Amino acid sequence: MRQSIKFTKNFYFIATVVFLIWMLFFDSNDFYSQYQLKNKVEELEDQKAYYQDKIKDTEADREALLNDAELLEKFAREKYYMKKDGEEVFVVVEE
């Protein structure tokens, strides 16, 4: 018992315990901050994967539009309401 009391009164033991407590709970890089940063990185990686899939889809659509004149005309008419000379375009808005 006396030996454990001597051990806890040792300067190096006390300094090490204080240092560990400081690093684990009070430092700017404590466990909670590291956990939050890890979650943020995972979220950003998920977003990156989502946007990379969207880019692939868009590139495929672009290639299809550049290679097919009929599809390009359909896209222009539907998306940008373009028309040929002498045509009238009616836009129906649903409520």
Side-chain angles (χ1 to χ4, degrees):
M1 184 73 170
R2 285 180 82 56
Q3 188 177 8
S4 65
I5 293 174
K6 280 184 176 181
F7 184 69
T8 57
K9 288 185 179 182
N10 185 347
F11 170 76
Y12 295 107
F13 176 76
I14 294 171
T16 303
V17 169
V18 169
F19 176 74
L20 287 175
I21 290 173
W22 180 264
M23 293 305 287
L24 293 176
F25 299 107
F26 300 112
D27 192 52
S28 64
N29 295 319
D30 60 352
F31 277 134
Y32 183 68
S33 298
Q34 293 300 318
Y35 177 75
Q36 284 180 329
L37 290 173
K38 181 177 146 279
N39 287 341
K40 185 70 174 177
V41 166
E42 290 173 358
E43 178 184 332
L44 290 173
E45 286 174 350
D46 291 341
Q47 286 180 359
K48 178 183 175 183
Y50 170 76
Y51 286 120
Q52 285 177 338
D53 289 341
K54 290 299 246 182
I55 287 171
K56 286 179 185 176
D57 292 342
T58 304
E59 286 175 351
D61 290 343
R62 180 179 176 267
E63 285 299 317
L65 287 173
L66 291 176
N67 294 329
D68 189 3
E70 291 178 9
L71 186 61
L72 180 62
E73 182 179 345
K74 178 182 175 192
F75 180 77
R77 287 175 177 268
E78 290 176 358
K79 181 83 173 175
Y80 297 108
Y81 308 115
M82 293 185 173
K83 62 182 183 90
K84 292 182 179 178
D85 292 334
E87 284 185 335
E88 292 184 18
V89 176
F90 297 98
V91 178
V92 178
V93 179
E94 296 181 17
E95 292 183 24

